[in-house]
Amino acid sequence: MRIIKLALAMALVAGLAACQKTTAGAGNVDGARIAAADTNGEWVSYGKGYSEQRFSPLDKVNATNVGQLGLAWYAQFDTDRGQEATPLEVDGVLYTTTAWSKVFAFDAVTGKLLWSYDPKVDGKKGFDACCDVVNRGVAVWKGKVYVGTMDARLVALDAKDGHVVWQTQVADAAKPYTITQAPRVVKDKVLIGESGAEYGGRGYLSAYDAASGKLVWRFYTVPNPNGADGAVSDKVLKDKALATWPEGSWKMVGGGGTVWDAIAYDPALDLIYFGTDNGTPWNQQVRSGGKGDNLFISSIIAVKADTGEYVWHYQVNPGESWDYSAVQPFILADLTIAGKPTKVLMQAPKNGFFYVLDRTNGKLLSAKAFVPVTWASSIDIATGRPVENPSARYKSDIDLQMPAPLGAHNWHPMSFSPKTGLVYIPAQSMPFAYQADPKFIYKPGGWNLGVSMLANAGPMTPEQTKALAANIKGWLIAWDPVNQKPVWTVNRPYFWNAGVLSTGGNLVFQGAAEGQFYAYDAANGKQLWAYATGNGVIAAPMTYEIKGEQYVALMVGSGGGGQVSAPSLLPARPRLPGRLLVFKLGGAAKAPPFKIVEPPPLNLTGVKTTGDKTHGYVVFNDNCQVCHGANATGSWLPDLKRSILITTPDDFNSVVIQGVRAHNGMVSFSKFLKPQDVEDVRAFLISQAKGEPLPGAAVAAKAASGAK
Ligand code: CA
């Protein structure tokens, strides 16, 4: 947006000869190479190899010398939104993506930019992204680099120079579908899903021919209310799923079950595993009359790699009602359970239980809570179903529950070390006030939850605030998956911390919300090293070795769902440009400090409004809080309490009604709000800018009492 990075400019000056030399035969990755990366030092797929363990045996950087780790090189990007990507390293080239689905290829040793690609996504698509305009990375296969875009395209680039070889529309861009997921490639097929369950999307996983971009198969995760799709999922949806969806608004809204993160592959079993999101609307009462399991939302599904045919599924949350998705990253490993070598699939989904499944047949082997959980007491091993607490299925009363929709663990990758036998989980805790929305009306293109967002925005007593704060936590948990218990834990000052890497050097690396990048002893959690990035970190680090030198790479830049929807719970920091930091032993490069410009205080003298601030409080929290924070406490997607736009109705309307900032993702709300609603919101924002008490006390008290 505002900075052309120095490294980028230098790379252009460096000339093409070096680039062509480094990139000859570029992107030479196939299935054997990805499978081998499960155990060797290469990192050639999103989760390293097909098993997504994110453990590297590299040990040149280790617990005895990690104190000498320093910056080898860095690059700064032209976007200040969240950076979630894991870079891949293939034959000396580091491939990464940034927010807005841009792709960059660097010389992995020097940091020289080799090429970049901008899919030029229309900024309006930012509105369709529930959780920031992020992207988690590329796939590389036989000379091509694949990226999913915010406007739901899958693009194949030439690995040598980044030119577009083919592209295809994975989902209708006119609908609120987006893609943030990193593609994976199995047997010459590029696998990609989509995001959008909050908006009413219907989920599916697609497999495209890697060479031509032609669709090979598609597996829909929820039934089509209008009949068959002509897809490989038709039979299983008819036989197993349709009867689990009684009447309800899902037929109109879409059902959910989008496929936006976890994909893994077992070459020996030839099975592809993928996870599905929550149902739409969230509230099962609204979605399907409170009845039925609603297959295959919130599920782990195994299909045949060649055809996409259904093999087995395990539903994490039958009849899901809390945004407890099962798309969180999988790890495939072979564990010794009860003395027997067992092929498992492990997941720590949003709902707070750590699941170990037999990946040959989907049978649940064990499940234990890894954070405080209020919605269920346990998972019944015999049936595989949760033992839900009676109050979990919230109705008209506010029900404070944990985990929150942001999850006990979200997309942030975890890591499994075969050396320690531990899974390192970026875990978190946060309560959420669930309350059924008695007046659910389908809003095409908007959020459709069937849950009152106002319940989380009521004014609180100091005691309530204290109780809430005491339950907002972040941890790095080293979890023993065989005995289902923690071995060590690092407490974090904030929730929404970063993805994890473990290595053969007995190290665990993780970035944190406050901006530090840490290395710990993998066996006991002792902190061995830290580096201040100057920005929040959410992405997972990766590591690679070139000519005997080990490097550790990390994308830096706060953002994503936690930063967008709960900014007041994270460090107060303006949006800062994303960076790629690459470290090595003895690295002596310096990244300059970020320039932080404080906006001047807003002068509200003479500012007038005819709006009703109490009604504005309701409208704001129903429509605006998922991006601007409950009660306008947000300081990340602009702090509206400090925005000059609120000083006149014309300026405010130009953005909210006329949509003059649609290019940033702030589209016109004219189809959701009446002109008086907008003025009422402005009145509410002015009252908050003046530091007045929340005008909603009476409204919240009424809502809390269940009155309609
Ligand atoms: Ca969701």
Side-chain angles (χ1 to χ4, degrees):
M1 203 173 295
R2 54 179 182 260
I3 293 171
I4 300 293
K5 59 188 169 297
L6 185 64
L8 195 156
M10 285 168 66
L12 294 174
V13 175
L16 279 171
C19 303
Q20 280 160 355
K21 197 177 166 205
T22 355
T23 56
N28 185 20
V29 174
D30 61 11
R33 192 166 174 184
I34 298 176
D38 279 329
T39 48
N40 68 22
E42 290 215 296
W43 200 298
V44 292
S45 183
Y46 175 69
K48 194 176 182 301
Y50 281 131
S51 68
E52 307 257 326
Q53 291 185 357
R54 291 176 176 265
F55 167 83
S56 173
L58 297 181
D59 61 1
K60 292 242 164 55
V61 178
N62 56 55
T64 65
N65 63 16
V66 68
Q68 299 156 35
L69 201 60
L71 194 63
W73 57 269
Y74 82 99
Q76 182 160 305
F77 299 105
D78 61 352
T79 166
D80 57 11
R81 300 290 288 268
Q83 307 301 339
E84 295 190 353
T86 304
L88 312 190
E89 190 272 323
V90 180
D91 301 329
V93 181
L94 202 63
Y95 300 95
T96 194
T97 63
T98 67
W100 295 111
S101 336
K102 297 177 189 181
V103 184
F104 295 81
F106 295 96
D107 181 309
V109 171
T110 65
K112 276 180 191 163
L113 182 76
L114 304 176
W115 55 259
S116 66
Y117 165 73
D118 179 356
K120 301 208 186 308
V121 172
D122 185 339
K124 284 183 190 145
K125 283 301 285 183
F127 178 74
D128 296 338
C130 71
C131 308
D132 200 2
V133 293
V134 292
N135 187 282
R136 284 187 289 283
V138 297
V140 178
W141 184 269
K142 298 185 180 175
K144 295 186 187 66
V145 175
Y146 302 88
V147 65
T149 66
M150 191 44 46
D151 51 6
R153 281 176 281 159
L154 177 64
V155 184
L157 306 171
D158 189 308
K160 282 194 292 295
D161 56 15
H163 80 262
V164 175
V165 180
W166 58 256
Q167 57 179 313
T168 188
Q169 197 69 43
V170 176
D172 186 351
K175 291 184 177 162
Y177 284 106
T178 56
I179 297 177
T180 61
Q181 178 184 44
R184 273 69 147 198
V185 189
V186 171
K187 297 172 99 175
D188 290 305
K189 286 177 278 295
V190 189
L191 305 171
I192 192 78
E194 69 297 298
S195 312
E198 273 58 50
Y199 298 81
R202 177 177 175 234
Y204 49 88
L205 179 69
S206 308
Y208 291 93
D209 178 70
S212 67
K214 193 169 163 276
L215 184 68
V216 181
W217 55 257
R218 179 169 282 175
F219 190 104
Y220 287 90
T221 65
V222 301
N224 180 346
N226 303 315
D229 299 295
V232 65
S233 44
D234 281 356
K235 186 173 182 332
V236 71
L237 288 175
K238 183 165 168 276
D239 292 351
K240 283 186 190 286
L242 192 59
T244 70
W245 291 83
E247 289 305 304
S249 64
W250 73 276
K251 290 189 178 180
M252 171 176 60
V253 178
T258 49
V259 181
W260 58 259
D261 196 72
I263 301 176
Y265 173 60
D266 183 326
L269 297 169
D270 202 21
L271 293 180
I272 289 166
Y273 307 96
F274 63 99
T276 65
D277 202 5
N278 54 279
T280 320
W282 285 358
N283 184 347
Q284 201 214 10
Q285 203 68 42
V286 175
R287 188 175 68 240
S288 69
K291 298 187 202 91
D293 284 353
N294 305 159
L295 294 171
F296 295 101
I297 62 162
S298 194
S299 296
I300 298 164
I301 303 171
V303 298
K304 291 181 185 169
D306 291 323
T307 58
E309 278 170 275
Y310 169 91
V311 177
W312 59 256
H313 79 277
Y314 174 77
Q315 191 173 38
V316 169
N317 272 89
E320 192 284 328
S321 206
W322 310 268
D323 191 17
Y324 290 166
S325 54
V327 286
Q328 281 57 56
F330 301 149
I331 287 177
L332 310 185
D334 295 348
L335 301 180
T336 304
I337 295 176
K340 252 178 43 191
T342 311
K343 290 175 185 293
V344 306
L345 179 152
M346 298 182 278
Q347 189 189 39
K350 279 187 178 179
N351 75 20
F353 286 88
F354 189 92
Y355 292 79
V356 180
L357 304 183
D358 180 334
R359 72 173 180 272
T360 66
N361 57 20
K363 190 176 172 297
L364 179 67
L365 299 175
S366 65
K368 279 272 155 56
F370 60 96
V371 295
V373 160
T374 63
W375 70 276
S377 57
S378 60
I379 312 296
D380 185 316
I381 298 300
T383 63
R385 298 175 75 90
V387 181
E388 290 180 9
N389 288 330
S391 70
R393 292 189 180 264
Y394 53 91
K395 297 200 168 68
S396 55
D397 288 343
I398 289 179
D399 196 6
L400 205 62
Q401 293 192 42
M402 293 192 292
L406 284 168
H409 170 223
N410 205 297
W411 60 269
H412 313 81
M414 54 187 195
S415 172
F416 169 71
S417 166
K419 257 182 113 165
T420 61
L422 301 176
V423 178
Y424 303 95
I425 313 169
Q428 60 187 19
S429 167
M430 182 194 289
F432 186 85
Y434 287 93
Q435 183 186 31
D437 177 1
K439 53 178 191 340
F440 173 76
I441 299 164
Y442 175 41
K443 287 193 275 189
W447 277 49
N448 289 284
L449 307 183
V451 167
S452 167
M453 292 304 277
L454 199 56
N456 285 283
M460 289 189 293
T461 63
E463 291 74 26
Q464 286 171 319
T465 307
K466 211 172 140 193
L468 191 69
N471 283 301
I472 296 169
K473 290 183 173 163
W475 304 278
L476 170 60
I477 303 175
W479 188 261
D480 174 349
V482 175
N483 297 301
Q484 288 279 21
K485 59 174 193 196
V487 172
W488 56 259
T489 300
V490 173
N491 295 311
R492 296 263 179 246
Y494 298 96
F495 83 115
W496 206 248
N497 298 290
V500 182
L501 159 72
S502 62
T503 74
N506 193 34
L507 293 170
V508 171
F509 289 92
Q510 189 196 23
E514 69 271 21
Q516 299 291 107
F517 181 35
Y518 295 104
Y520 301 95
D521 185 309
N524 59 29
K526 189 177 166 234
Q527 186 185 313
L528 301 174
W529 175 81
Y531 176 94
T533 69
N535 196 346
V537 190
I538 51 175
M542 56 79 74
T543 187
Y544 56 96
E545 188 173 291
I546 295 175
K547 291 188 181 139
E549 182 112 56
Q550 187 184 348
Y551 298 83
V552 178
L554 175 73
M555 294 291 289
V556 169
S558 193
Q563 178 70 71
V564 167
S565 61
S568 64
L569 305 178
L570 288 167
R573 185 193 286 126
R575 294 202 308 274
L576 299 169
R579 284 179 176 172
L580 167 61
L581 304 181
V582 177
F583 300 87
K584 64 175 183 180
L585 292 176
K590 292 258 183 295
F594 290 101
K595 284 200 191 80
I596 295 185
V597 182
E598 280 295 316
L602 199 59
N603 183 358
L604 292 166
T605 315
V607 170
K608 290 193 176 63
T609 172
T610 56
D612 172 355
K613 63 185 178 185
T614 305
H615 183 243
Y617 152 85
V618 175
V619 175
F620 179 91
N621 283 306
D622 274 347
N623 292 276
C624 318
Q625 71 157 302
V626 291
C627 287
H628 294 285
N631 301 323
T633 50
S635 62
W636 199 73
L637 287 177
D639 186 347
L640 301 179
K641 303 186 303 302
R642 299 177 79 165
S643 169
I644 188 98
L645 292 173
I646 68 172
T647 58
T648 75
D650 284 354
D651 286 345
F652 198 59
N653 282 332
S654 72
V655 173
V656 182
I657 297 298
Q658 290 153 31
V660 299
R661 293 204 178 158
H663 59 282
N664 283 342
M666 178 56 206
V667 300
S668 164
F669 271 60
S670 58
K671 66 177 176 178
F672 303 119
L673 303 180
K674 298 184 196 79
Q676 189 57 47
D677 292 335
V678 179
E679 185 57 16
D680 292 349
V681 168
R682 195 174 76 89
F684 167 65
L685 292 170
I686 291 168
S687 78
Q688 295 308 287
K690 287 178 175 169
E692 292 176 7
L694 267 187
V699 181
K702 198 173 159 197
S705 74
K708 298 187 177 74

